[in-house]
Amino acid sequence: MSILEMKVPSPGESITEVEIATWLVKDGDYVQKDQPIAEVDSDKATLELPAEESGIITLKAEEGDVVQVGQVVCLIDMDAAKPEGAAPAAEAPKQEEAKAAESAKVEAPKPAPAAPQSYATGTPSPAAKKILDEKGIDASQVSGSGRDGRISKSDAELAAVPALGGSSLTATGARSTTTTKLSVLRRKIAQRLVSVKNETAMLTTFNEVDMSEIFRLRKLYKEEFAQKHGVGLGFMSFFTKAVTRALQMYPDVNASIDGDFKVNYDFCDISIAVSGPKGLMVPVLRNAENMSFANVEGNIKDLAIKVRDGKITVDEMTGGTFTITNGGTFGSMLSTPIINPPQSAILGMHNIIQRPVAVDGQVVIRPMMYVAMSYDHRIIDGKESVGFLVAVKEGIDNPVEILLGGDERKGLGL
């Protein structure tokens, strides 16, 4: 019998453990070589684990288990015969869907099968057992809301209310709770955010920008820009170019602390915060200072698609020198963004509101946005932080002269 031990591959430098997020196959299934069999979460990304050979699989880890890189997570019996009628891996899901749709047309609805029994089904947790024992309540009379039907402490407390002689005035209704283990990625994000608050001297400075000129440029050239470059002309390219210009003017903002040393970078690798199914990701635009508007928009689009599809790699999220985050897409008017370590600053964009402003002594209505820059005061002084944000404001308020070199068509690559 030829048995292959499948071990957890290293998803990237410095990553020593991952979490089994989801098994895509069941114990005893026949798998094809290169068929995705599991999704694993590292502290930076979610990755698919493909089968290394074809055969019958035996799982050696459960969903939610944290396993070390190099640890065996499943066995594949390569000598096992392929079951009769088994469809190729790529076709199996489609055939199963077709069969399900066909059976739905001709078969009467059937009651759902009972949940499989496990060690936790119907059993109380230690805390719940104590409450039930104290109140003389039979555990079999309590419905568990935990994993596999396990009775949680809140289930026991809810069951104890009538046993304690609750009056008719006692509130009734659903009072269950759901406990879900945080993914490795979410736990790592939480750890990093807490460390930033505890280990940096973080301050935030604010300003506002007038989006009128950018609105005009996008309205005037968006169709021509999309036709020529195959990508839309958005706000992020303007802000990215404004930020790279400001970073070159104020190099300490484009720096980080390494122990007792300050590290300055002569390049601008801009991390762009993107919301995905697994949480907030920060893919990096390498050497954004050398990119055209079309390059910035195209790269952001490609990276956002990878984040959405769960195909972003660790390397694509490592090494940024400055971060831009846009809470305005969710309706945020103002916020204090948290620094993305080991970087020393982050720019927060917000929603655009038509507001009355004074221009040349006249009150006019303009599309305005508040911007916020959080920075580490250990390395960036108030003068640099305020000067940097003013430089960003200049680029957004007057993009033609400052960001497009005075020629809007040429500057946009048209």
Side-chain angles (χ1 to χ4, degrees), residues 114-149:
Q117 295 291 313
S118 76
Y119 73 94
T121 303
T123 61
S125 67
K129 187 175 186 303
K130 182 180 178 182
I131 295 173
L132 297 178
D133 289 345
E134 288 177 351
K135 306 307 175 187
I137 301 173
D138 187 350
S140 64
Q141 304 301 314
V142 180
S143 177
S145 62
R147 183 178 180 182
D148 295 328

Side-chain angles (χ1 to χ4, degrees), residues 12-93:
E13 187 180 354
S14 79
I15 297 177
T16 60
E17 63 182 22
V18 298
E19 180 178 300
I20 304 296
T22 307
W23 281 110
L24 304 177
V25 296
K26 299 188 294 294
D27 197 47
D29 280 356
Y30 185 88
V31 298
Q32 302 278 4
K33 183 178 180 180
D34 297 327
Q35 173 187 346
I37 59 174
E39 289 183 350
V40 296
D41 285 341
S42 73
D43 58 10
K44 294 182 178 179
T46 297
L47 307 170
E48 283 189 345
L49 187 66
E52 296 176 7
E53 295 291 344
S54 300
I56 299 294
I57 191 168
T58 302
L59 308 184
K60 293 296 183 182
E62 296 184 1
E63 290 184 359
D65 284 356
V66 176
V67 294
Q68 300 296 312
V69 169
Q71 181 177 331
V72 176
V73 290
C74 66
L75 305 177
I76 297 179
D77 180 1
M78 297 183 291
D79 291 339
K82 182 178 180 180
E84 290 294 331
E91 298 177 8

